[in-house]
Amino acid sequence: MTDSKELHDILAQNINHLIDDKDSKTPSMRYLSTCIDANESYIQKILSGSSFPSMDKLIAIANHFEVEPWTLLFNHSKRGEEFEDTLMLLASCPHNMIPVIREYIRYLMSKEENE
């Protein structure tokens, strides 16, 4: 289980990464703060560890960067890019495909265990 400090560190790292991305149209923490209708220092407080966003603000940040909200809390360094790409594919699948995909994954895992 992830503790609150670790979760905060993951969030801060992901926001920093999105702000620093060369394709980002977010030049500063202050700009992001105002884009999500928050106090100018809101993002700075989150990144410094003195605040954690509400669910509404977390969604607003995700919407600003056009990412799914869960990706802001995803530990990219632990799981890797392939894992994240797979999750994104799963998230985009039609709901009726998920049971088939789940069963296929279980099948593959059982084959791996038996080898």
Side-chain angles (χ1 to χ4, degrees):
M1 172 88 41
T2 304
D3 67 19
S4 60
K5 171 145 178 30
E6 182 180 0
L7 187 59
H8 186 273
D9 291 345
I10 292 167
L11 175 64
Q13 180 180 358
N14 289 335
I15 292 173
N16 272 321
H17 176 74
L18 289 166
I19 290 172
D20 293 342
D21 186 333
K22 64 180 173 61
D23 296 328
S24 175
K25 295 179 175 103
T26 305
S28 69
M29 292 180 279
R30 178 176 287 153
Y31 176 79
L32 177 56
S33 295
T34 58
C35 284
I36 63 168
D37 294 325
N39 177 298
E40 287 185 351
S41 62
Y42 185 75
I43 296 298
Q44 182 179 5
K45 289 176 183 175
I46 292 171
L47 298 181
S48 70
S50 63
S51 182
F52 199 85
S54 67
M55 187 60 73
D56 288 342
K57 291 301 182 191
L58 185 71
I59 291 169
I61 294 166
N63 287 341
H64 175 81
F65 287 110
E66 299 178 351
V67 299
E68 293 291 327
W70 66 265
T71 63
L72 296 174
L73 302 173
F74 182 76
N75 189 346
H76 301 273
S77 63
K78 248 187 190 174
R79 295 292 189 163
E81 194 171 311
E82 280 185 352
F83 188 83
E84 181 184 359
D85 289 345
T86 303
L87 288 175
M88 295 296 258
L89 285 170
L90 284 172
S92 67
C93 285
H95 184 70
N96 64 339
M97 289 178 65
I98 299 300
V100 174
I101 294 168
R102 183 182 60 235
E103 290 307 313
Y104 186 63
I105 291 170
R106 286 181 176 153
Y107 168 77
L108 292 174
M109 290 173 68
S110 70
K111 296 295 273 180
E112 183 75 21
E113 289 173 1
N114 292 330
E115 291 180 1

